[in-house]
Amino acid sequence: MSGPQTPEPALDRQGDCSTGSGDEGAADGIQHSHRMLSFSDALLSIIATVMILPVTHMEITPEQKSDKSVQNLLATRIAVYLMTFLIVTVAWAAHTRLFQIVGKIDDTLALLNLACMMTITFLPFTFSLMVTFPEVPLGIFLFCVCVIAIGAIQALIVVYAFHFPHLLSPQIEGSAHRALHRRHILGIILQGPTLCLAAACFSLFFYPASYLLMATVVFLPYVSKAAGWCRDRLAGSREPPAHSLEFFTFDLHEPLSKERVEAFSDGVYAIVATLLILDICEDNVPDPKEVKAKFGGSLVAALGTSGPQFLAYFGSFVTVGLLWFAHHSLFLHIRKVTRPMGLLNTLSLAFVGGLPLAYQQTSAFEKQSPRELESVRVSCAIIFFASIFQFAIWTTALLQEGETLQPSARFGGREHAFMFAKLALYPCASLLAFASTCILSRFSTAIFHIMQIAVPFAFLLLRLLVRLALAALRALRGLTRPGRTQPAPRAMDDARAPLLPAPC
Amino acid sequence: MSGPQTPEPALDRQGDCSTGSGDEGAADGIQHSHRMLSFSDALLSIIATVMILPVTHMEITPEQKSDKSVQNLLATRIAVYLMTFLIVTVAWAAHTRLFQIVGKIDDTLALLNLACMMTITFLPFTFSLMVTFPEVPLGIFLFCVCVIAIGAIQALIVVYAFHFPHLLSPQIEGSAHRALHRRHILGIILQGPTLCLAAACFSLFFYPASYLLMATVVFLPYVSKAAGWCRDRLAGSREPPAHSLEFFTFDLHEPLSKERVEAFSDGVYAIVATLLILDICEDNVPDPKEVKAKFGGSLVAALGTSGPQFLAYFGSFVTVGLLWFAHHSLFLHIRKVTRPMGLLNTLSLAFVGGLPLAYQQTSAFEKQSPRELESVRVSCAIIFFASIFQFAIWTTALLQEGETLQPSARFGGREHAFMFAKLALYPCASLLAFASTCILSRFSTAIFHIMQIAVPFAFLLLRLLVRLALAALRALRGLTRPGRTQPAPRAMDDARAPLLPAPC
């Protein structure tokens, strides 16, 4: 329920003026937490995404394909990736909420935050253990220990910040019943760890119960959010609850910090885009001996054999880049990020994290020709889901457009039709490519590459295309209904824009 | 020569107000470039660092150690890492300079920037080719093509921005001789690509000349900077040149954007800290079959064998985290980043990027016991260089403290002694550990681990220790010179602080 975070002006003042309150604050070791939060966002987004690497690094030869154990291993690794992404996102959301309460940091808080980050980096390992040895309770025990440790550190941060109230956000610092706030916040923070303590105890003698408790811990906020949203939709939008005690909740109406959602998303996009170059550099530099033996010393011929990999790399980078571009354009028009929008953003990012898998699939054409069709379809599906969830963020924002969107992007706004087309481009293109592979299965690779090359140009020409489409619609309407004045009112025209087909 | 960048207040206004100029700008598709720059920083820092992975992923068995070809491969990969780091940092600095000119972006500029990023991601591959096949000119030819492409895209960005002057930074937009500016900027941007065009031509018939030209391209700014700095020191600080035409130069006095230096550094620290967890998850989850066969089904026993790896992981994460913490504290007191400070920061980051190597070295103890001493020393050296360059940033800043530092961190400021101790902690600790391994070579591992565990506590207690040391010094001075008044003036006392030994 706090407004959008605005740490920058203060930070800026501190950077610019030679003397004054900003510097005085720094002198006491008290700092605005802006940079620490960016660093935490970067760390968490990388931890969330990096577990896709074990999935993509699995080399499956055609004869292994039917091997049960290899399939199991692949499924295991994908499960680890998805669970890691989910739990790290939950941890990130909790971290965001915590530092909406704690407005400033000093050295002790910075060190505590680092300890918290270190414990979070250990979570993927516990998942790997859990999924590899589902019948041994050690994995879940370690997971619970980690969650308890994270909860303890977060509780310590809260207690420390309330002990030095100038570290708190101004809203709480000025509040009359600060002690009540503290008890309420500690209660919510320690909910998860308490459940995990029970789960850790259960894991010693009856471990299935601990899996159940763990699932509760992970999904509790999501379930309560979804239920709240449904209730909200059915009962009509009720008044947001009073500020006094529910400042720190799992509540639906509490917006996420837009800046931190952007930073986390940027981290995921950046790591996905660059993980790909690593594979290129590690695998596609030919061995000098092999070049001599196989290609008569011709490096160009040797590189020619890995041509499909390069093509796939550029295609993937372009896709990641343009998905980032769409995300960037979308968030430029968003004023506030509600929790359902945050959840949709997480889902979109989980699929973006899967794009290296799409790269590996499409770059493997040469080796495993019979899997070509399958690979192209998997890639199309990943791109489709990554982009359709972006589109869903937009539609969810439109449901409460007065609160969440800039005026120009609302129904009837100047940018509305353009924004719509921008976000609809990738879902349409990937769906079209998928459909084409069903009809023209022999040309699936060509279709996929044409899509990857055509989409960037479509983005460049999009503004022009949308204007043309709008003008054509207007002209058409003028022809069919000559009784009305020809130049229809602008606002009404734009309001019809969502009905336009996207120009893909 | 532009002042520190201040994009945030404008961005913030845009995010908050429902109507007004901020939103109007967004409606025309014109955006403040803040988020795009953060994304570029994240991408570039990851590209710069990720090439350490091929180095750390090399598995060298003891019998291979004396094999010439393996040693060559390792040296090759380290060379690729260092060259990549250097060239990507040069590209990053050029990008920073470019977007000090171009203040706002629209969709076309965002897409051009993505194209530029994609070309930069391809540079590591050309280096790999060059180093693997030094006698084949294809690698250098591709490198030159990349640099020319990057230059062309940057020139396009400049031409586009000057065509729509509202995209330029206010200083240039309001300037009287904008056309002169444009010619000057294009001239500097196209210097490198022109040299590379010559190098590409040479590579077709006499490739050693192209290596020479390439080295010129890479090191030109550094050499000119170093020469300028020396001249500057010898001749005394001359007046900064007039603003009119040299707004965009390789000049020493032109400060880097502090915000972007921080973002780039954060990216490097974050990726280094998290690359380590990847190794843990990929290599240290035991195979179910092996657990049954070797350890009688006991998972705890199986995990026990990789205990040293976990210890090394936590040690490395703590080291990276605390180096980030020192960097964060340092930049909190810095007001302006000059180019020599930027160069020292780059060197420090290059060694931070080498920390996964230190992790791999120290985690390999169990397997290759005779290399233990060597490993510990390499790790100490990497940590020492990473931290001593941070310390050098601080001393360089002190040389021009009036311009570069906040008042509280200058000689005699309240935070001066504390800052000094904070930055001196890691160099002292690693040097001490290195020296101890020379004397007590049998206990080298124990010494290294004690250092890694002791340093975080030293950081926590640092403020206390510095106060104690200052009080002790004051008391001592009071005893030796009883003629003077006992409580010496505070400012003078602090000015002596650099002479104190750091409490490590």
Side-chain angles (χ1 to χ4, degrees), chain A residues 8 14 18 23-24 27-28 31 35 46 107 121 266 274 277 313 327-328 332 406-407 414-415 422, chain B residues 8 14 18 23-24 27-28 31 35 46 107 121 266 274 277 313 327-328 332 406-407 414-415 422:
Chain A
E8 294 92 342
Q14 181 182 330
S18 51
D23 179 60
E24 291 303 303
D28 288 335
Q31 311 134 20
R35 190 178 164 197
I46 297 175
D107 283 0
T121 60
D266 281 355
T274 40
I277 194 63
Y313 168 68
H327 190 270
H328 171 246
L332 207 68
Q406 302 278 5
R414 269 191 292 165
E415 291 286 302
K422 232 181 203 172
Chain B
E8 294 92 342
Q14 181 182 331
S18 51
D23 179 60
E24 291 303 303
D28 288 336
Q31 313 134 19
R35 190 178 164 197
I46 297 174
D107 283 0
T121 60
D266 281 354
T274 40
I277 194 62
Y313 169 68
H327 190 271
H328 170 247
L332 207 69
Q406 302 277 6
R414 269 191 291 166
E415 291 286 303
K422 230 181 205 174

Side-chain angles (χ1 to χ4, degrees), chain B residues 86-87 90 140 143 147 191-196 198-199 208-224 250:
Chain B
L86 196 68
I87 191 81
V90 170
I140 187 136
F143 171 81
V147 173
Q191 260 175 15
T194 314
L195 280 177
C196 274
S210 26
Y211 279 106
L212 201 71
L213 280 169
M214 188 192 93
T216 318
V217 172
V218 174
F219 292 105
L220 189 66
Y222 285 95
V223 171
S224 79
F250 289 125

Side-chain angles (χ1 to χ4, degrees), chain A residues 200-231:
Chain A
C201 295
F202 272 118
S203 75
L204 297 178
F205 52 94
F206 182 62
Y207 65 85
S210 25
Y211 279 106
L212 201 71
L213 280 169
M214 188 192 92
T216 318
V217 172
V218 174
F219 292 105
L220 189 66
Y222 285 96
V223 171
S224 79
K225 252 182 267 173
W229 190 79
C230 292
R231 201 184 50 216

Side-chain angles (χ1 to χ4, degrees), chain B residues 185-254:
Chain B
I185 292 167
L186 279 179
I188 288 183
I189 282 182
L190 293 176
Q191 260 175 15
T194 314
L195 280 177
C196 274
L197 191 64
C201 295
F202 272 118
S203 74
L204 297 178
F205 52 93
F206 182 63
Y207 65 86
S210 26
Y211 279 106
L212 201 71
L213 280 169
M214 188 192 93
T216 318
V217 172
V218 174
F219 292 105
L220 189 66
Y222 285 95
V223 171
S224 79
K225 252 183 267 173
W229 190 80
C230 292
R231 202 183 50 216
D232 216 55
R233 285 286 104 197
L234 290 175
S237 65
R238 64 194 163 96
E239 286 294 298
H243 265 232
S244 61
L245 269 184
E246 295 192 33
F247 182 78
F248 183 85
T249 57
F250 289 125
D251 190 59
L252 181 76
H253 287 275
E254 185 187 356

Side-chain angles (χ1 to χ4, degrees), chain B residues 152-212:
Chain B
I153 295 172
Q154 289 192 341
L156 212 61
I157 290 177
V158 169
V159 170
Y160 185 88
F162 272 92
H163 189 69
F164 299 101
H166 56 275
L167 295 174
L168 293 171
S169 74
Q171 255 172 302
I172 293 202
E173 195 189 345
S175 162
H177 23 256
R178 214 190 290 148
L180 271 179
H181 271 304
R182 192 177 73 161
R183 207 181 311 148
H184 177 71
I185 292 167
L186 279 179
I188 288 183
I189 282 182
L190 293 176
Q191 260 175 15
T194 314
L195 280 177
C196 274
L197 191 64
C201 295
F202 272 118
S203 74
L204 297 178
F205 52 93
F206 182 63
Y207 65 86
S210 26
Y211 279 106
L212 201 71

Side-chain angles (χ1 to χ4, degrees), chain A residues 253-272:
Chain A
H253 286 276
E254 185 186 356
L256 291 162
S257 157
K258 184 188 164 210
E259 192 188 44
R260 295 202 62 188
V261 174
E262 288 180 354
F264 185 78
S265 311
D266 281 355
V268 172
Y269 283 106
I271 186 88
V272 169

